[in-house]
Amino acid sequence: MPPLQAVLWDMDGTLVDSEKVWAEVQLRLLAELGATWTVEDCVGLIGSDLRDAVQVWMSRIPAGVITADELADRMFSEVIESLRREVTFQPGAVELLRALRKEEVPCALVSASYRTMIDAVLGHLPPEPFDVIVAGDEVTLGKPHPEPYLTAAAKLGVDPAQCVVIEDSVTGTQAGTAAGAYVVAVPQWVSIPEAPRRLVVGSLEPLTPESLRALLH
């Protein structure tokens, strides 16, 4: 059986149930700025690179109300404040992460979120839960481009084809597949179709290091 060289984790919606926080902040702030924005619009941006999301938000706000940089600062600061207060981990996520760490399987966090947001979430976990972290503001091309996952694999010194990516979004799943990894998709807000080298599950709770190794057999 080929070795499981590493597990590469998405954060928002996969490790933590933060998509709800994102949606609440978007709906409130964009309405204050005069934009028409719906839950469906929030869903459409799940997994997107934050730089792309800012451009979409700006396209809905009347001209001259706020700059892109100001909007990004306000949106990010409100999400970070909420995440620092409290986060909800997805069912089975912390247990799987602990089991992988116990068996010394390298783990990376690969998120479209910026480093400051990642730090807010990691503050609720024991120190150094991941060997490598790749943030959205630390790559040139975000998901669905494979660069974030290829960067994480390179930093770990592993073959992406011998890694498992855990994702909840279509764009993230596409990024993991494009990087050559086996993808475990745990859709929350959007459906993800079955595909080669992809396992779609309803929850992380049944997964173990052994079951992830078996996927690469």
Side-chain angles (χ1 to χ4, degrees):
M1 182 180 296
L4 172 63
Q5 294 186 3
V7 176
L8 315 178
W9 293 73
D10 172 54
M11 186 178 80
D12 294 298
T14 302
L15 178 65
V16 294
D17 185 13
S18 53
E19 300 295 1
K20 181 180 178 181
V21 175
W22 270 105
E24 291 172 346
V25 173
Q26 288 177 70
L27 292 168
R28 180 178 66 254
L29 179 56
L30 294 175
E32 290 176 4
L33 297 171
T36 300
W37 193 256
T38 67
V39 172
E40 289 72 24
D41 292 320
C42 296
V43 172
L45 286 182
I46 289 177
S48 297
D49 182 79
L50 292 179
R51 289 161 292 195
D52 296 333
V54 170
Q55 297 307 311
V56 176
W57 296 328
M58 288 297 295
S59 72
R60 301 290 188 89
I61 298 172
V65 173
I66 193 172
T67 68
D69 287 343
E70 289 169 344
L71 175 59
D73 287 343
R74 286 189 62 182
M75 190 76 73
F76 302 161
S77 64
E78 290 193 26
V79 173
I80 290 169
E81 182 181 350
S82 178
L83 293 176
R84 282 177 176 160
R85 289 195 302 268
E86 181 182 12
V87 299
T88 301
F89 289 98
Q90 295 287 36
V94 173
E95 291 80 4
L96 178 59
L97 181 60
R98 286 174 176 164
L100 290 165
R101 304 305 285 165
K102 183 177 181 180
E103 297 193 16
E104 299 183 348
V105 177
C107 288
L109 188 65
V110 185
S111 178
S113 290
Y114 286 8
R115 174 68 70 152
T116 52
M117 294 183 186
I118 292 174
D119 289 343
V121 170
L122 295 185
H124 299 275
L125 285 170
E128 299 182 3
F130 295 98
D131 300 283
V132 162
I133 296 173
V134 177
D137 53 340
E138 297 170 351
V139 296
T140 302
L141 298 170
K143 303 172 187 179
H145 195 277
E147 181 186 343
Y149 283 114
L150 292 175
T151 299
K155 287 186 174 183
L156 288 171
V158 298
D159 178 0
Q162 298 306 132
C163 295
V164 170
V165 161
I166 304 179
E167 271 283 356
D168 76 306
S169 70
V170 173
T171 53
T173 300
Q174 291 170 339
T177 296
Y182 195 107
V183 178
V184 173
V186 195
Q188 305 297 326
W189 288 52
V190 294
S191 61
I192 298 174
E194 299 280 353
R197 284 180 63 82
R198 180 185 302 172
L199 173 67
V200 181
V201 297
S203 168
L204 293 175
E205 292 175 287
L207 299 182
T208 64
E210 291 73 22
S211 66
L212 296 185
R213 290 190 183 97
L215 296 175
L216 298 178
H217 180 61

